[in-house]
């Protein structure tokens, strides 16, 4: 299990290859200092850090962060950041109705491959081989979604361990984003 340290509360695991156990990842304290991320108050820096860590933990080719839109009566999530593995901006994809319905109804993360989304026409035409989508929970409300995709030909697909890691990351990311939003509101009110 992941071990949090006082200097790295935002996230503290090393998921590099562990040849001795035969497992794709081992969990140990990171040498990298994540204390900067725990103190970040700028929303874009929190988003960037979340995407960067998502790429470190998974074989995703694209990661998008979608946040709840305050301008709609219906719960809606809009892409606020989307990157490819090279760190370059990628076109943000709106959340498909199938993913939205599944996440809101179940309140849980999704690990799916192309043969599982027959119900979704938008996902069928998206040229993805697999995806992970995990809600960002704050209290009893879903405030966002982190969506990881594998587009094109990839040698390894997502597995349950990737979904488990993203659920942990999503919990930390949701709190960091909420902290950033509250800080912005406080500054605006002064």
């Amino acid at each position: 299990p992941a071990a949090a340290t006082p200097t790295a509360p935002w996230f503290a695991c090393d998921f590099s290859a562990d040849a001795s156990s035969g497992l794709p990842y081992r969990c140990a304290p990171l040498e990298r200092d994540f204390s900067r991320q725990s103190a970040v108050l700028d929303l874009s820096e929190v988003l960037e850090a979340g995407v960067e860590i998502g790429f470190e933990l998974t074989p995703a080719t694209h990661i998008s962060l979608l946040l709840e839109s305050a301008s709609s009566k219906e719960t809606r999530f809009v892409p606020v950041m989307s990157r490819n593995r090279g760190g370059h901006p990628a076109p943000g994809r709106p959340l498909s109705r199938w993913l939205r319905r599944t996440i809101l109804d179940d309140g849980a993360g999704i690990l799916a491959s192309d043969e599982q989304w027959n119900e979704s026409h938008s996902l069928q035409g998206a040229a993805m081989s697999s995806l992970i989508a995990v809600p960002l929970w704050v209290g009893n409300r879903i405030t966002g979604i982190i969506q990881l995709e594998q587009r094109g030909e990839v040698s390894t697909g997502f597995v349950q361990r990737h979904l488990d890691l993203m659920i942990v990351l999503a919990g930390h990311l949701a709190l960091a984003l909420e902290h950033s939003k509250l800080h912005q509101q406080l500054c605006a009110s002064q």
Side-chain angles (χ1 to χ4, degrees):
T5 64
T7 59
W10 206 73
F11 201 77
C13 279
D14 177 9
F15 296 96
S16 57
D18 182 4
S20 64
S21 70
L23 297 173
Y25 303 106
R26 64 180 160 70
C27 193
L30 273 175
E31 305 230 352
R32 182 174 167 189
D33 181 11
F34 281 103
S35 60
R36 183 183 65 79
Q37 278 90 352
S38 67
V40 168
L41 296 175
D42 180 67
L43 183 63
S44 64
E45 288 182 44
V46 173
L47 295 169
E48 288 283 351
V51 168
E52 179 184 318
I53 293 170
F55 281 124
E56 290 175 11
L57 299 178
T58 69
T61 60
H62 294 77
I63 297 179
S64 296
L65 284 165
L66 300 95
L67 296 181
E68 186 177 35
S69 171
S71 63
S72 175
K73 291 180 186 176
E74 180 184 5
T75 303
R76 191 174 153 198
F77 301 95
V78 295
V80 294
M81 178 170 289
S82 188
R83 299 277 186 266
N84 65 22
R85 182 160 281 283
H88 302 291
R93 216 181 277 220
L95 193 64
S96 77
R97 285 188 298 270
W98 176 79
L99 271 176
R100 182 185 168 282
R101 185 177 60 247
T102 304
I103 287 174
L104 291 178
D105 288 351
D106 297 343
I110 299 169
L111 168 61
S113 62
D114 55 358
E115 52 283 332
Q116 292 174 298
W117 50 65
N118 294 333
E119 301 174 34
S120 174
H121 297 292
S122 60
L123 288 176
Q124 288 175 358
M128 288 187 289
S129 56
S130 61
L131 74 85
I132 290 176
V134 178
L136 305 177
W137 283 95
V138 174
N140 62 355
R141 199 173 101 246
I142 296 174
T143 60
I145 296 168
I146 183 166
Q147 181 173 316
L148 295 84
E149 303 172 3
Q150 289 185 314
R151 297 181 192 172
E153 296 295 321
V154 292
S155 58
T156 60
F158 291 129
V159 295
Q160 183 64 42
R161 183 168 186 91
H162 296 130
L163 175 60
D164 295 342
L165 293 169
M166 294 315 301
I167 290 170
V168 172
L169 175 63
H172 292 282
L173 183 58
L175 293 175
L177 288 168
E178 188 68 12
H179 185 236
S180 174
K181 288 177 191 176
L182 291 173
H183 177 73
Q184 287 177 344
Q185 290 172 358
L186 180 63
C187 289
S189 70
Q190 294 177 350

